[in-house]
Amino acid sequence: AQSVTQLDSQVPVFEEAPVELRCNYSSSVSVYLFWYVQYPNQGLQLLLKYLSGSTLVESINGFEAEFNKSQTSFHLRKPSVHISDTAEYFCAVSDPIGGAAGNKLTFGGGTRVLVKP
Amino acid sequence: ETGVTQTPRHLVMGMTNKKSLKCEQHLGHNAMYWYKQSAKKPLELMFVYNFKEQTENNSVPSRFSPECPNSSHLFLHLHTLQPEDSALYLCASSLGTLRGEQFFGPGTRLTVL
């Protein structure tokens, strides 16, 4: 079974400082990789995804993540955070379920980012 | 409404009650999922439905009973729950394995007394 490890459960950071959230996964086969964000009292929203192609993927709100196959990592970064980035961030790996339609996401434990003024 | 909706948003129930959670997706997807999100634990996949057929049951206790009457609706019927079942229950949908992306609803916050 796949596993996803997010090493940091909480990351406090000052506004306008950079932040990096670490994610490592266990699969040795081709997978899809995702970062989801969960704001307080809301469901998960897709932040960005890696499916194939360029190993550096970006979101519309300044986040980026780099797929590193040799290190089985997909770390998330933002060079300058805002107060509004306070949320919980989940890394996930996708497997097709038996090759049929539908897919299985395995999530990491989440990293709670608290941006301080 | 757009996206994935869930009702109710909050639910408090006793251990002897029977209640149902509802999820509806307006995205034309064919696969739907139930997840459980507890404090300090990773998201747990409970059930997967593809074209109304259950394709995964992740060893979920029988006091949770899913129902998928069509590709747009998903229910989770609850009966004789335990306090440890208190959690946020999230519904998601996807368009098969294409791009592997799942879209989530806002969740139902369940409290079992």
Side-chain angles (χ1 to χ4, degrees), chain B residues 13-19 61-64 77-85 112-113:
Chain B
M13 59 187 290
M15 289 191 286
T16 58
N17 293 158
K18 289 185 180 181
K19 296 287 185 184
S62 60
R63 57 185 184 269
F64 294 92
H77 303 301
L78 315 171
H79 64 97
T80 59
L81 295 192
Q82 305 298 311
E84 60 265 28
D85 297 322
V112 181
L113 301 176

Side-chain angles (χ1 to χ4, degrees), chain A residues 5 10 32 84 91:
Chain A
T5 303
Q10 289 192 74
Y32 300 148
S84 59
C91 181

Side-chain angles (χ1 to χ4, degrees), chain A residues 21-43:
Chain A
L21 310 183
R22 294 177 291 171
C23 173
N24 289 88
Y25 62 95
S26 64
S27 176
S28 60
V29 298
S30 296
V31 293
Y32 300 148
L33 295 159
F34 304 83
W35 277 99
Y36 282 84
V37 59
Q38 186 177 32
Y39 299 103
N41 301 312
Q42 295 187 29

Side-chain angles (χ1 to χ4, degrees), chain A residues 7-23:
Chain A
L7 291 169
D8 306 301
S9 60
Q10 289 192 74
V11 173
V13 57
F14 286 104
E15 193 173 17
E16 298 183 6
V19 70
E20 179 179 79
L21 310 183
R22 294 177 291 171
C23 173

